[in-house]
């Protein structure tokens, strides 16, 4: 007898966002999902979820969803496929992988993944296959490396105050993030502080974002100049007696040296670099100095520059000069990843990992697939890819190389996906994937402090299979080393993870739905000491030797590491505008897309309109660009065609292109990442997606 469909259940949003929102899932009487909303009884989500996830049924029941395994029958890129069975697809994958391994070695096969799901089991089980077979490892360099490295260079730990404390702040500084578009829950707590305490909101960014429109003070500076602003603010704090010397002497490494160093970093000095008025810098600094309960919410955006590590470190340093760490509602927060202690042996099979196996830079996939010896790290060519949870043919930098690499007829590519993405169109085998409501998983929040469960809520349609199924089935067929993780279901993995991390069991977490992991106040605010061995915040990091959650192997460093400034300072290694490339481009997130997720849904496409580049009217006049005109935007990496929009709210000399539209949405089939570079940023790598010099011409 069929059980009646419940009216609602709970889950966790899996997408690439620090919020990892706890959600309530509501059903129609016939069993289909009707809508999602933020869980009201989760104190961080607090009943709020972004609009794109609220309308998730549009994606779950999309008519273009992949439902059947496919085999390529046309040339690479023609997107001509025929349906095959799961067994036939998996057998063919195993046959190809074994033949390639026999001829070129195991490292010629590269499992390639990222954050299409943030679920610990469904995302990271790919490592179990990688380690069991000795396939090439992956060095993750999208998004996080510069931000994490810069923050932990000061703090020694990727953690910070309880983000819910924003509601108890007298002032919130939102720097380099646009939470109205990308982390809506941040605004829940910001608005609470404004309503209850009259809190002031200061927003720092390179254009007037939707978040800045809600601010009391908006600071629009030139891209890559955040460290100059931070240094000038600290100059004023020291100069005008706002520095908390008791705190500095107790909790920081070299405050007197910092004060002396900053004497020349005046607001006038910073104004020349940032494009800001000195009076605005003075005003912001004074507000920060006078308001002890100031909460710095530091985002990822301003770190996606070649000097992004230095920028993050400088911004985080301000909180130590004022000593605002001491107060509830004060301090600096970026990400809480360091508070979780997950034992992921069953998921990742870390005991089987061979450190001698090369780790290939995910950002350099274009160089790798086109045979760059340095990018290949002296190893064999990549002859096979297994792609899960990412869409590199749209999102990776240096797109001309990426597309050329995927077009190789001698590259065997398997893509496990929910929709026919541009990466899937280049595959030899396409496997249909479940969506998050159709499988079990567990999540941890970077932007908050919860671990949360995402139990299976609905049955998938006939055809799609979860990630862990694909990994386990391939492992059975390719003679992998034995590991008990290959014989476990997702729910069994979650239970093992929780029990072996001293977090209880699946059943216990299911009854709780989520668990608050925030450390006590003293620990969260580093009042027991920062994470370095000396317990101090380091104004003077040993660059290249500092702790970071995602360091490359051994003592490897990248870029001009030896030239990094010893103390917080502006570091001019950005891709500067010049006579041939007079504008600087930032490729910022769009509100209705999430990387390339949701750009298949009609509502999101209608809200975003079309690929555009935003330019100040006076800059547009210099180049003869009319509002709404078709333009060419380019540099030495390539050129794209899109439409211009005149916007007063963009910094002078800056252009903004929001969202990662599919390449096919551009008239010439070249997407915005045609223009971005993959050179690794000092000291530990990362792609500088928001640090690009370009020219512009009327098309």
């Amino acid at each position: 007898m069929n059980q009646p469909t419940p009216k609602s259940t709970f889950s966790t949003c899996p997408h690439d966002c620090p919020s990892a929102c706890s959600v309530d899932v509501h059903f129609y009487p016939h069993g289909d999902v009707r809508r999602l909303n933020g869980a009201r009884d989760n104190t961080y989500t607090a009943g709020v979820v972004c609009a794109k996830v609220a309308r998730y049924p549009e994606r779950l029941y999309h008519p273009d969803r992949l439902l059947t395994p496919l085999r390529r029958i046309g040339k690479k890129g023609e997107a001509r496929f025929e349906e095959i069975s799961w067994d036939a697809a998996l057998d063919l994958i195993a046959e190809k992988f074994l033949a390639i391994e026999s001829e070129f070695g195991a490292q010629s096969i590269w499992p390639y993944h990222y954050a299409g799901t943030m679920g610990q089991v469904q995302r990271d089980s790919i490592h179990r296959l990688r380690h069991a077979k000795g396939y090439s490892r992956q060095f993750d360099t999208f998004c996080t490396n510069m931000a994490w490295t810069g923050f932990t260079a000061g703090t020694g730990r990727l953690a910070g105050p309880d983000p819910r404390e924003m509601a108890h702040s007298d002032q919130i500084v939102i720097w380099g993030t646009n939470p109205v578009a990308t982390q809506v829950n941040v605004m829940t707590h910001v608005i609470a502080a404004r309503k209850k305490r009259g809190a002031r909101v200061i927003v720092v960014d390179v254009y007037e974002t939707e978040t800045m429109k809600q601010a009391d003070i908006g600071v629009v500076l030139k891209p890559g100049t955040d460290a100059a602003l931070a240094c000038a603010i600290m100059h004023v704090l020291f100069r005008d007696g706002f520095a908390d010397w008791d705190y500095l002497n107790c909790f920081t490494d070299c405050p007197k040296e910092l004060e002396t160093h900053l004497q020349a970093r005046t607001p006038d000095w910073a104004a020349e670099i940032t494009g800001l008025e000195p009076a605005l810098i003075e005003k912001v600094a004074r507000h920060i100095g006078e308001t002890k309960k100031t909460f710095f919410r530091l985002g990822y955006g301003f770190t996606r520059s070649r000097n992004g590590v230095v920028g993050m470190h400088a911004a985080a340093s301000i909180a130590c000069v004022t000593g605002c760490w001491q107060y509830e509602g004060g301090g600096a927060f970026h990400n809480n990843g360091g508070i979780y202690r997950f034992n992921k042996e069953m998921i990742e099979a870390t005991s089987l990992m061979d450190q001698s196996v090369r780790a290939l830079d995910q950002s350099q996939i274009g160089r790798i697939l086109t045979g760059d010896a340095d990018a290949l790290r002296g190893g064999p060519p990549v002859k096979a890819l297994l792609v899960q949870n990412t869409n590199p043919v749209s999102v990776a930098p240096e797109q001309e190389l990426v597309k050329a690499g995927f077009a190789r007829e001698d590259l065997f590519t398997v893509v496990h996906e929910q929709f026919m993405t541009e990466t899937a169109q280049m595959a030899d085998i396409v496997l249909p994937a479940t969506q998050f409501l159709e499988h079990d998983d567990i999540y941890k929040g970077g932007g908050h402090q919860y671990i949360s469960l995402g139990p299976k809520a609905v049955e998938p349609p006939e055809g799609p299979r979860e990630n862990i199924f694909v990994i386990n089935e391939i492992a059975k067929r390719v003679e992998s080393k034995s590991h008990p993780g290959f014989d476990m279901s997702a729910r069994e993995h979650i239970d093992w993870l929780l029990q072996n991390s001293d977090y209880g069991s699946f059943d216990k977490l299911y009854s709780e739905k989520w668990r608050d992991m925030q450390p006590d106040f003293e620990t969260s605010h580093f009042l027991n000491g920062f994470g370095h061995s000396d317990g101090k915040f380091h104004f003077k990091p040993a660059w290249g030797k500092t702790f970071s959650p995602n360091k490359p192997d051994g003592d490897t460093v990248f870029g001009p590491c030896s030239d990094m400034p010893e103390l917080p300072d502006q570091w001019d290694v950005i891709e500067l505008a010049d006579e041939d490339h007079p504008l600087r481009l930032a490729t910022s997130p769009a509100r209705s897309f999430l990387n390339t997720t949701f750009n298949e849904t009609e509502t999101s496409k209608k809200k975003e309109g079309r690929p555009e580049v935003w330019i100040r009217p006076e800059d547009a006049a210099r180049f003869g660009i009319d509002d709404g005109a078709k333009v060419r935007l380019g540099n030495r990496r390539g050129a794209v065609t899109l439409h211009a929009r005149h916007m007063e709210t963009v910094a002078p000399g800056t252009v903004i292109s929001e969202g990662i539209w599919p390449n096919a949405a551009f008239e010439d089939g070249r997407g915005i990442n045609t223009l971005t570079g993959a050179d690794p940023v000092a000291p530990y790598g990362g792609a500088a997606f928001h640090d690009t010099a370009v020219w512009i011409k009327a098309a």
Side-chain angles (χ1 to χ4, degrees):
M1 184 175 178
N2 291 332
Q3 295 294 317
T5 301
K7 292 182 178 180
S8 65
T9 188
F10 71 95
S11 191
T12 303
C13 175
H15 291 293
D16 184 10
C17 169
S19 290
C21 293
S22 296
V23 296
D24 292 326
V25 184
H26 303 279
F27 300 95
Y28 289 107
H30 57 74
D32 281 358
V33 176
R34 181 162 57 95
R35 63 180 172 86
L36 280 67
N37 62 259
R40 296 186 183 280
D41 48 346
N42 180 293
T43 56
Y44 182 77
T45 303
V48 176
V49 75
C50 68
K52 51 188 172 284
V53 171
R55 56 178 182 264
Y56 212 86
E58 183 180 9
R59 191 168 192 275
L60 188 66
Y61 303 118
H62 198 289
D64 294 338
R65 184 174 174 186
L66 288 170
L67 299 175
T68 309
L70 303 171
R71 176 171 55 196
R72 176 172 68 92
I73 56 174
K75 293 181 180 180
K76 283 281 182 83
E78 287 184 346
R80 291 175 54 215
F81 297 93
E82 64 179 4
E83 295 184 2
I84 57 173
S85 69
W86 267 100
D87 281 338
L90 292 165
D91 289 346
L92 179 58
I93 292 166
E95 177 187 334
K96 291 286 189 178
F97 280 14
L98 287 169
I100 289 168
E101 180 183 0
S102 176
E103 184 173 359
F104 299 100
Q107 294 189 53
S108 62
I109 299 168
W110 190 18
Y112 189 90
H113 83 298
Y114 205 51
T117 176
M118 299 297 283
Q120 301 295 297
V121 176
Q122 304 293 351
R123 183 189 65 193
D124 295 337
S125 285
I126 198 169
H127 296 307
R128 187 166 64 255
L129 176 63
R130 184 195 312 277
H131 297 151
K133 285 295 298 180
Y135 295 156
S136 283
R137 295 185 291 135
Q138 179 172 299
F139 179 39
D140 297 342
T141 52
F142 287 174
C143 307
T144 60
N145 249 24
M146 294 90 89
W148 291 358
T149 299
F151 190 82
T152 58
T155 61
R157 189 165 181 246
L158 188 62
D162 188 330
R164 295 167 296 191
E165 286 185 31
M166 285 183 286
H168 304 286
S169 300
D170 293 326
Q171 181 168 261
I172 300 108
V173 179
I174 300 173
W175 196 323
T177 182
N178 182 14
V180 167
T182 61
Q183 294 181 58
V184 66
N185 306 95
V186 170
M187 299 307 296
T188 301
H189 304 286
V190 169
I191 291 167
R194 175 177 270 167
K195 288 181 176 179
K196 295 178 181 179
R197 305 179 61 83
R200 181 186 300 111
V201 179
I202 300 171
V203 175
V204 182
D205 217 312
V206 297
Y207 67 115
E208 187 183 46
T209 63
E210 292 300 310
T211 304
M212 193 177 290
K213 291 175 182 177
Q214 298 189 25
D216 299 290
I217 299 173
V219 181
V220 178
L221 76 173
K222 295 178 181 178
T225 65
D226 302 83
L229 174 61
C231 288
I233 289 170
M234 290 188 285
H235 167 94
V236 174
L237 296 174
F238 280 116
R239 183 196 70 193
D240 293 353
F242 292 120
D244 185 334
W245 281 102
D246 288 340
Y247 180 88
L248 285 163
N249 289 328
C250 183
F251 288 99
T252 69
D253 60 345
C254 56
K256 281 293 184 183
E257 188 175 350
L258 178 66
E259 180 188 32
T260 300
H261 165 72
L262 293 173
Q263 285 176 0
R265 275 53 175 181
T266 65
D268 287 335
W269 165 84
E272 289 292 320
I273 298 168
T274 62
L276 301 170
E277 291 295 325
L280 177 59
I281 299 173
E282 293 272 4
K283 179 181 179 180
V284 170
R286 186 172 65 253
H287 284 319
I288 290 171
E290 292 173 345
T291 311
K292 287 298 186 183
K293 296 182 72 170
T294 294
F295 195 105
F296 291 85
R297 184 62 176 82
L298 305 175
Y300 290 93
F302 74 107
T303 72
R304 292 174 186 167
S305 295
R306 288 167 179 81
N307 61 4
V309 173
V310 170
M312 171 62 87
H313 175 252
S317 296
I318 301 171
C320 285
V321 176
T322 67
C324 65
W325 287 102
Q326 300 166 91
Y327 308 99
E328 184 184 32
F333 180 86
H334 170 61
N335 184 291
N336 242 345
I339 70 173
Y340 307 103
R341 306 179 316 279
F342 280 169
N343 182 339
K344 295 174 70 174
E345 168 59 31
M346 284 301 125
I347 295 173
E348 297 188 0
T350 50
S351 61
L352 299 180
M353 181 173 64
D354 182 351
Q355 289 282 359
S356 70
V357 172
R358 65 183 176 181
L360 298 175
D361 185 338
Q362 72 171 145
S363 295
Q364 295 194 341
I365 185 171
R367 302 184 190 187
I368 289 163
L369 295 184
T370 53
D372 183 292
D374 289 338
L376 287 166
R377 302 194 63 187
V382 169
K383 291 288 187 174
L385 287 171
L386 169 62
V387 182
Q388 285 186 326
N389 315 319
T390 189
N391 183 17
V393 176
S394 293
V395 306
E398 299 180 348
Q399 277 286 296
E400 294 293 273
L401 292 176
V402 176
K403 289 189 284 188
F406 271 89
R408 284 171 38 204
E409 285 291 340
D410 69 329
L411 176 70
F412 180 70
T413 302
V414 180
V415 176
H416 186 207
E417 253 298 354
Q418 298 162 349
F419 291 88
M420 185 58 78
T421 64
E422 290 178 314
T423 304
Q425 290 174 20
M426 301 298 293
D428 295 279
I429 297 291
V430 179
L431 304 174
T434 50
Q435 296 189 35
F436 80 101
L437 294 173
E438 299 166 343
H439 56 237
D440 295 313
D441 218 331
I442 185 172
Y443 305 85
K444 59 181 181 180
H448 56 74
Q449 66 295 321
Y450 283 103
I451 57 171
S452 55
L453 200 60
K456 182 177 178 179
V458 294
E459 288 297 326
E462 182 64 31
R465 301 286 190 271
E466 62 188 320
N467 287 6
I468 190 175
F469 170 87
V470 172
I471 297 304
N472 290 348
E473 289 298 316
I474 291 175
K476 291 175 184 176
R477 289 167 166 83
V478 294
E479 304 166 7
S480 70
K481 292 179 183 176
S482 62
H483 188 277
F486 289 123
D487 299 316
M488 295 166 65
S489 68
R491 188 164 293 204
E492 289 169 333
H493 270 290
I494 296 167
D495 189 65
W496 192 97
L497 169 72
L498 290 168
Q499 293 201 43
N500 288 273
S501 305
D502 296 325
Y503 289 159
S505 65
F506 179 95
D507 290 341
K508 180 169 174 51
L509 187 59
Y510 188 92
S511 68
E512 300 171 348
K513 298 192 284 191
W514 48 74
R515 188 172 308 152
D516 188 338
M517 305 301 295
Q518 186 68 40
D520 60 77
F521 181 87
E522 286 74 18
T523 302
S524 300
H525 287 252
F526 297 105
L527 299 181
N528 297 323
F530 285 90
H532 299 293
S533 59
D534 61 2
K536 307 283 189 179
F537 182 95
H538 285 185
F539 291 131
K540 195 173 186 178
W543 294 118
K545 298 180 181 179
T546 58
F547 163 75
S548 183
N550 189 37
K551 289 180 69 170
D553 291 340
D555 297 323
T556 302
V557 294
F558 299 103
C561 180
S562 60
D563 297 334
M564 296 180 76
E566 287 189 342
L567 290 160
D569 211 343
Q570 179 64 21
W571 189 34
D572 289 328
V573 292
I574 56 178
E575 195 167 283
L576 291 168
D578 57 28
E579 185 176 349
D580 294 327
H581 306 89
L583 299 169
R584 300 198 68 241
L585 167 69
T587 53
S588 303
R591 187 169 188 173
S592 297
F593 297 155
L594 206 171
N595 301 319
T596 60
T597 303
F598 298 101
N599 64 18
E600 69 283 329
T601 59
E602 287 303 315
T603 303
S604 290
K605 288 191 287 187
K606 287 178 181 177
K607 286 181 178 293
E608 294 303 325
R610 63 185 180 184
E612 292 184 331
V613 59
W614 299 354
I615 183 170
R616 287 184 70 86
E618 57 265 38
D619 285 333
R622 288 170 55 199
F623 305 106
I625 306 298
D626 294 331
D627 190 22
K630 187 188 299 183
V631 298
R632 294 277 285 166
L633 196 69
N635 57 22
R636 60 184 172 80
R637 302 180 187 98
V640 302
T641 302
L642 66 177
H643 289 80
R645 185 195 295 189
H646 289 186
M647 298 285 281
E648 296 277 1
T649 54
V650 177
T654 304
V655 289
I656 304 293
S657 185
E658 281 195 337
I660 306 177
W661 285 87
N663 298 324
F666 293 75
E667 184 176 291
D668 56 6
R670 293 180 172 88
I672 200 66
N673 279 312
T674 300
L675 308 177
T676 55
D679 48 302
V681 170
Y684 300 145
F689 282 101
H690 298 346
D691 185 356
T692 305
V694 294
W695 49 257
I696 191 169
K697 301 174 183 177

